[in-house]
Amino acid sequence: MTGNGIMMGCSNSSDNLVGIVILAGGASKRMGTPKATLTLPTGEQLLNYHVRHASELQVPILIADNGCGFYVDSDATLDKPSSPVMPIADYVSDFDADNDEQIRTGGALVAIESALQTLTGSNNLFTTNNQRASWLLVMSCDSLIPATDLWQKLQQAINTAANKRVICLKDASHLYPLLGLYHLAIEPDLKAYIDSDKRRVMPFIQPMVRTVPFTQNWQHLTNFNTPQEFEQACAALPT
């Protein structure tokens, strides 16, 4: 990282993957504390857990924390120069910018839009040696699935995704859009969607989503919203 916070050139050893965004800015009302700061049985904070695993993929790691400024342990990416870590601010639409009221928490899509803008076009702060890289890995902080495992699972669907531009996990009854891959090409459409004052994830991705069946032993590792559910997720971690 340079003094102005801009990351210098990064190598990309993961075919088609251009970056990772960790969604860490949720309200966490039922949890009673920000999920990013939850402590695992090993003593490691949840955000550092995700950064450490994400760094193995050797792409830029963006932290969307809604301005909370969560601390990331530098040891999490030690000796991983291809995995710079950078906090990003949520995208603010023209609608919100013109609104005199306090800007509300915009939800996941404004964080994803910010990540897409950061990795593309005039806002691109990164360079990559892999010009084919075109997917952003999205990870939420209500999961203990390592980024490496999630990428390995989802990337298998890239070649069969056809014109689909979002790839995410699915179980018998739910989609998990915040554990997925988002193609950089959707950035203009997502910006237009948000600029029309829409924030709901499912209506946006529904026409463009390709689903991947949930790995059975991941069921207890994600979607925790209370201290009890987090405790259960920790108990389900492989030893």
Side-chain angles (χ1 to χ4, degrees):
M1 179 183 290
T2 66
N4 60 7
I6 295 178
M7 310 297 176
M8 301 308 290
C10 307
S11 65
N12 184 351
S13 62
S14 300
D15 189 31
N16 286 314
L17 185 64
V18 72
I20 299 165
V21 61
I22 301 173
L23 306 179
S28 303
K29 291 181 179 179
R30 284 190 285 166
M31 186 65 70
T33 190
K35 293 175 186 175
T37 65
L38 292 171
T39 302
L40 294 154
T42 59
E44 185 176 32
Q45 285 198 337
L46 181 56
L47 181 57
N48 286 325
Y49 169 89
H50 281 307
V51 169
R52 176 169 58 84
H53 283 288
S55 70
E56 297 296 327
L57 294 172
Q58 300 187 55
V59 293
I61 302 167
L62 309 178
I63 309 296
D65 63 4
N66 197 27
C68 293
F70 294 129
Y71 172 77
V72 176
D73 189 344
S74 60
D75 288 345
T77 57
L78 196 63
D79 300 324
K80 299 290 194 309
S82 298
S83 298
V85 180
M86 176 183 175
I88 58 171
D90 287 351
Y91 170 70
V92 178
S93 70
D94 293 339
F95 178 89
D96 286 330
D98 292 338
N99 195 330
D100 291 335
E101 298 179 3
Q102 181 75 21
I103 296 175
R104 64 189 183 279
T105 300
L109 289 184
V110 294
I112 294 170
E113 172 63 17
S114 176
L116 292 171
Q117 289 188 1
T118 301
L119 294 166
T120 61
S122 60
N123 290 331
N124 186 7
L125 303 182
F126 306 98
T127 59
T128 175
N129 295 327
N130 183 358
Q131 297 305 313
R132 294 181 300 164
S134 52
W135 293 90
L136 168 71
L137 180 63
V138 174
M139 303 199 62
S140 58
C141 264
D142 64 352
S143 167
L144 291 177
I145 300 172
T148 46
D149 293 353
L150 183 61
W151 165 246
Q152 184 178 19
K153 180 73 173 177
L154 295 175
Q155 70 169 329
Q156 300 172 16
I158 289 177
N159 291 335
T160 58
N163 63 339
K164 303 300 184 181
R165 289 295 180 254
V166 176
I167 301 171
C168 71
L169 296 178
K170 181 183 185 299
D171 63 17
S173 55
H174 297 94
L175 290 180
Y176 293 80
L178 306 186
L179 293 171
L181 292 170
Y182 287 66
H183 199 282
L184 299 187
I186 71 169
E187 187 277 321
D189 292 334
L190 180 53
K191 180 179 182 298
Y193 183 80
I194 295 169
D195 284 347
S196 64
D197 199 30
K198 297 174 183 177
R199 298 293 186 275
R200 294 177 60 198
V201 177
M202 295 307 298
F204 176 74
I205 72 166
Q206 199 65 52
M208 64 180 78
V209 68
R210 160 81 155 84
T211 60
V212 175
F214 218 92
T215 299
Q216 187 173 358
N217 60 1
W218 287 355
Q219 287 286 350
H220 300 296
L221 294 180
T222 192
N223 200 30
F224 45 81
N225 293 295
T226 67
Q228 293 75 24
E229 290 172 349
F230 177 62
E231 185 177 347
Q232 292 169 359
C234 289
L237 275 171
T239 56

